[in-house]
Amino acid sequence: MDKKVYIETYGCQMNLADSETVAGIMLAKDYSGVKEINEADVILINTCSVRDNAEQKIWNRLNHIKSLKKKNKNLKVGIIGCMAQRIGEKLLEHQAVDFVAGPDAYRSLPELIMETDIDLKPKNLNFDINETYSGIEQIKQSENNISGFVAITRGCNNFCSYCIVPYTRGRERSSNYLDIIKEVKNLEKQNFKEITLLGQNVNSYYFEDKNLKVDFPKLMEMLAQTVPNMRIRFTTSHPKDLSDDLIDVMAKYKNICKHIHLAVQSGSNKILEKMNRKYTREWYLNRIEAIKSRIPNCALSSDIFCGFSGETEEDFQETLSLMQIVEYDLAFMFKYSERPGTHAAKHLDDNVPEDVKKERLARMIKLQNKISLKKNKEDIGKIFEVLVEGKSKRSESMLYGRTEQNKVVVFDAGNAKQGDFVNVKILEVSSATLKGEILVESL
Ligand code: 5AD
Ligand code: SF4
């Protein structure tokens, strides 16, 4: 009989995509997926290490899972992903954990589980620079069957001084463009309407074979032409690699969504240098100008954090002023969390007091909420093409979807359904969502 696997995912979109890959690997080896944790023979927890609180969540979760193991003595629990890679040995000491596997080791999961039968606590934390999970069919983990992820690069070579990712995901590698095209066409055949190309730094995508040299703008162009009726998104871009060529390709193709997530992290040159971000405030603002002038309807979002080593009130003010200049539609904001093993943990004091970090974060969030509201208000009266994702949580008769700018819009369903493209006129906004009405006539 099939064994039942339950997969729980924390962290970034790359982890969501990885869990789909893991499901593909498990289902090809006599497992079936279950949506109820209590029904599982095997629980896999795909983890994140980016900040300490992401790891604390997992430790708390393990205490709950320990109680499930008391009820089901045959239950096997595996920790996979970034936290497994970072502290796999320590995780194995926890009663609830039977095995661990890092981000490059997912093909070995069925074997690791078999090894647990002979009472070992197996681990696979090997890096594999050639691993792109080529040939594995991903299995969707959510009900949303219109929007899919395609990982195009894995790993990271940037070594931002605060960041754990180069240590947990290893060196950067790009998938073969032929595999990517195949995967995208496959999603199109399954009626998906949108793909998001994923990588820690998608702009540095590069793959060459004897026929072609393919960089990121070239890949985008190939995909835009291959699936003209699908929306194409991508994340994340590193500002240092955001080329004019990419902006041109985005401007040229209607099906490339007009949204760029361009993580700035800080607005202070002193801090950017300590972070090893390899650009200055001025360079970043120049990139933003290039985007705004060539793609006027392009939405901008960012990751920003406060309280990095040596950040003074003046440095923080530079961050706030950059936020005001750029006017992001959306930003993910954090406080610095020192990660053991990174350059910053070894060489830069974590010397901004916790209460100052907290207070700066609150100011940042307050400012961004104001900016998001202002940006959303500019959308009132405008008409957007919205891809319908599903029923609104608040009301059965309402649907929600996204504009190509990645803004969530709620509207009366009418005859529309999941997967439709509809034109919606925006009537009301908050800092987080737009509300509108479907227009019957086409744009
Ligand atoms: N502390 C706080 N935030 C961090 N990020 C990455 N590392 C850290 C850290 N040590 C943030 C960055 C990154 C996002 C995924 O998480 O803003 O872009
Ligand atoms: Fe978390 Fe970064 Fe790993 Fe994604 S890549 S799971 S954000 S640590």
Side-chain angles (χ1 to χ4, degrees), residues 128-301:
D128 180 356
I129 185 68
N130 296 314
E131 184 57 277
T132 56
Y133 295 108
S134 167
I136 287 173
E137 196 189 336
Q138 293 179 293
I139 310 281
K140 268 258 155 192
Q141 298 296 290
S142 75
E143 304 299 322
N144 173 340
N145 286 321
I146 52 152
S147 186
F149 297 121
V150 180
I152 64 165
T153 71
R154 298 181 66 82
C156 184
N157 290 346
N158 286 330
F159 287 95
C160 301
S161 63
Y162 52 82
C163 187
I164 196 70
V165 176
Y167 306 91
T168 58
R169 287 190 170 271
R171 292 295 63 72
E172 183 181 286
R173 69 219 79 152
S174 296
S175 299
N176 188 326
Y177 64 92
L178 295 170
D179 284 340
I180 297 170
I181 292 173
K182 203 163 112 191
E183 210 172 315
V184 168
K185 279 188 177 162
N186 186 24
L187 288 170
E188 187 189 38
K189 225 190 284 157
Q190 294 173 47
N191 237 351
F192 279 72
K193 298 288 168 26
E194 180 179 88
I195 49 160
T196 303
L197 305 176
L198 294 180
Q200 260 67 43
N201 179 14
V202 286
N203 298 114
S204 59
Y205 175 86
Y206 186 79
F207 192 93
E208 82 175 75
D209 59 16
K210 58 183 187 314
N211 300 316
L212 275 181
K213 293 178 168 45
V214 183
D215 62 6
F216 187 58
K218 173 87 186 151
L219 178 74
M220 288 293 276
E221 181 142 45
M222 288 163 89
L223 293 175
Q225 290 173 358
T226 304
V227 286
N229 297 319
M230 281 179 104
R231 279 182 171 182
I232 303 174
R233 302 186 181 279
F234 59 93
T235 196
T236 289
S237 317
H238 192 298
K240 77 176 165 55
D241 298 318
L242 189 100
S243 65
D244 289 341
D245 282 356
L246 175 66
I247 300 175
D248 289 343
V249 170
M250 287 184 73
K252 186 168 161 195
Y253 290 93
K254 190 176 168 289
N255 58 330
I256 301 181
C257 289
K258 305 301 179 268
H259 168 222
I260 302 184
H261 183 76
L262 202 60
V264 68
Q265 314 298 7
S266 167
S268 147
N269 279 335
K270 180 188 100 192
I271 296 296
L272 286 170
E273 192 174 345
K274 285 179 92 171
M275 289 177 167
N276 192 30
R277 289 290 288 175
K278 305 183 186 98
Y279 56 83
T280 59
R281 173 189 174 91
E282 292 72 29
W283 160 272
Y284 183 90
L285 288 172
N286 166 286
R287 293 290 77 204
I288 294 290
E289 256 330 293
I291 297 166
K292 284 185 175 172
S293 66
R294 279 188 250 182
I295 317 174
N297 60 343
C298 192
L300 292 164
S301 58

Side-chain angles (χ1 to χ4, degrees), residues 13 16 71 73 115 229 243 253 278 284 295 329 339 346 350 362 378 382 409 416 430 443:
Q13 288 177 315
L16 290 171
K71 280 185 240 156
K73 296 272 181 251
E115 285 175 35
N229 297 319
S243 65
Y253 290 93
K278 305 183 186 98
Y284 183 90
I295 317 174
D329 295 271
R339 308 313 291 128
K346 288 184 199 151
D350 182 10
E378 289 171 9
K382 289 188 192 159
V409 187
S430 71
L443 280 175

Side-chain angles (χ1 to χ4, degrees), residues 50-51 162-163 263 265 303-305 334-337 339:
V50 77
R51 281 170 293 276
Y162 52 82
C163 187
Q265 314 298 7
D303 294 343
I304 315 171
F305 67 95
F334 316 102
K335 19 179 206 150
Y336 174 52
S337 163
R339 308 313 291 128

